[in-house]
Amino acid sequence: MISSEGAVQQLIDSNGKVLVLHFTASWSEPCKAAAQALSLLSQKSSFVDVYQVDTEKVPKFCESLNIDSVPTCLIYQKKELKETVTGLNLPKVAKTVDKLTAEHETTSCQAPVVEQDLNTRLKSLTTMAKCVAFIKGSPQAPRCKFTRALMELFLSTEVEFSYFDILSDNDVREGLKKFGEWPTYPQVWLEGELLGGLDIMKELHENGELITTLPVKMSLNTRLKNLINSHKVMLFMKGDPSEPRCGFSKTTIGILAQCNVEYKTFDILSDNDVRQGLKTYSEWPTYPQLYVNGELIGGLDIIRELHEAGELAETLRG
């Protein structure tokens, strides 16, 4: 699922095949039926690529081409828009694709065609959204147990992602293994970089790091609650333990080091929403902020008082 204006335009500009863009919406039953039927087109010919586009995420693109209903299919050939098909008119889509494919095959007999470099295409796919999952099947209809487990994990944590069905394109399926130097599926890519497979996603989840690593669909308060509870002892600071970026954070790290207790940190300078939102959420206006078992202990002054009274280590152990 493509979910950004830039990714749509990049696909159009870089694709040298017959390109079918299916503009869809999660709430539309006709879109679901269309998606199943359209997935067969790319299996029918290696010269056809089909992608789903989340209509609600690309409003400017939709407005520029007067797309005001779903499902709508745009059919391109070498960057040129050849046909726009609105509604559940799958026969018209198939007829247009067959015509363009036949024209390509005729041209191929007359002169050699330079195919798009596979690595360029893979780079385009891995960057079509902030988080992209390469899976077998779809989130609604996974076609292997590993894909099913990943989709259940992403659903439970409300991860926001696009996906590509590697069973629909063998070139992508085999090429991505070499491109990412990762031999199995599913694969999760974040901002164009390989993050890993199912085992790594499970490990991130168990460590409370999945929702801080991947984009998630949740309110700020829900995100703050999840961050606070991502570890038994959680410190919100400026910088990180190896490189504190304010004197208060540096002093706090020094005190915690003496307690010999495991803890996790979050750099509030890396996310302004968290930095400002946590002040309201906790009703505590300054940083650092220390939490134990989801409860606010306080800032540096309270941490120092507890330490001087010999009570900090016991407090941190809960």
Side-chain angles (χ1 to χ4, degrees):
M1 183 77 72
I2 300 171
S3 56
S4 74
E5 312 263 355
V8 175
Q9 193 59 54
Q10 188 176 15
L11 269 178
I12 294 170
D13 292 340
S14 64
N15 198 292
K17 302 181 179 182
V18 173
L19 175 65
V20 180
L21 297 179
H22 170 212
F23 287 79
T24 182
S26 59
W27 45 263
S28 170
E29 290 300 323
C31 285
K32 294 177 183 177
Q36 293 180 350
L38 290 171
S39 66
L40 300 176
L41 289 177
S42 58
Q43 299 175 24
K44 193 174 174 183
S45 170
S46 61
F47 189 63
V48 179
D49 281 339
V50 179
Y51 294 93
Q52 294 189 68
V53 181
D54 188 338
T55 306
E56 295 177 347
K57 298 290 181 64
V58 291
K60 292 181 181 178
F61 186 90
C62 291
E63 183 180 357
S64 68
L65 290 174
N66 298 317
I67 299 173
D68 55 10
S69 63
V70 292
T72 292
C73 288
L74 302 184
I75 305 173
Y76 289 83
Q77 185 178 41
K78 297 179 180 178
K79 304 182 184 180
E80 182 182 351
L81 179 60
K82 295 291 187 178
E83 187 69 75
T84 299
V85 182
T86 57
L88 201 59
N89 193 348
L90 298 175
K92 184 175 181 180
V93 175
K95 183 178 179 180
T96 303
V97 168
D98 286 344
K99 178 183 176 183
L100 295 174
T101 303
E103 290 175 359
H104 166 70
E105 290 173 350
T106 301
T107 305
S108 297
C109 294
Q110 297 171 351
V113 175
V114 178
E115 292 292 339
Q116 179 194 12
D117 177 69
L118 179 60
N119 281 352
T120 301
R121 186 169 173 232
L122 293 174
K123 183 176 181 181
S124 176
L125 286 172
T126 56
T127 57
M128 67 180 178
K130 184 173 183 179
C131 177
V132 184
F134 291 84
I135 61 178
K136 293 181 179 180
S138 67
Q140 298 78 21
R143 294 179 61 184
C144 80
K145 63 181 181 180
F146 303 109
T147 292
R148 182 177 293 107
L150 180 67
M151 294 301 98
E152 289 173 353
L153 177 60
F154 277 10
L155 180 64
S156 67
T157 51
E158 296 188 292
V159 170
E160 190 169 24
F161 68 101
S162 295
Y163 76 92
F164 183 89
D165 177 10
I166 53 112
L167 297 179
S168 69
D169 192 313
N170 196 58
D171 289 343
V172 171
R173 180 179 184 176
E174 296 304 322
L176 194 61
K177 294 177 183 179
K178 297 178 182 178
F179 185 80
E181 297 181 354
W182 194 271
T184 59
Y185 290 100
Q187 293 184 17
V188 178
W189 290 69
L190 180 66
E191 296 182 332
E193 298 291 334
L194 177 65
L195 195 58
L198 176 60
D199 288 344
I200 290 179
M201 297 306 108
K202 285 182 174 179
E203 185 178 336
L204 287 171
H205 181 55
E206 290 167 0
N207 293 337
E209 297 175 358
L210 188 67
I211 60 172
T212 63
T213 303
L214 299 180
V216 290
K217 299 180 246 182
M218 61 175 68
S219 68
L220 179 58
N221 278 357
T222 300
R223 186 177 174 219
L224 293 173
K225 182 179 179 181
N226 287 338
L227 280 171
I228 289 168
N229 288 278
S230 64
H231 197 277
K232 181 179 179 179
V233 181
M234 190 73 191
L235 178 68
F236 292 83
M237 60 178 289
K238 295 181 180 180
D240 57 55
S242 63
E243 192 176 347
R245 295 180 62 185
C246 79
F248 302 113
S249 292
K250 183 177 181 179
T251 302
T252 301
I253 292 298
I255 294 174
L256 293 178
Q258 299 176 48
C259 296
N260 196 29
V261 173
E262 184 179 349
Y263 64 96
K264 182 181 173 184
T265 66
F266 184 91
D267 178 9
I268 53 118
L269 298 179
S270 69
D271 192 316
N272 197 55
D273 288 342
V274 172
R275 180 180 185 177
Q276 300 304 327
L278 193 59
K279 295 177 184 178
T280 303
Y281 182 88
S282 64
E283 298 181 353
W284 194 270
T286 59
Y287 291 99
Q289 292 184 19
L290 180 67
Y291 293 78
V292 177
N293 293 323
E295 298 294 329
L296 175 66
I297 301 302
L300 175 58
D301 288 344
I302 292 177
I303 293 169
R304 184 185 280 125
E305 287 176 12
L306 288 170
H307 180 58
E308 291 174 350
E311 300 173 1
L312 182 59
E314 184 179 349
T315 301
L316 294 177
R317 293 187 178 97

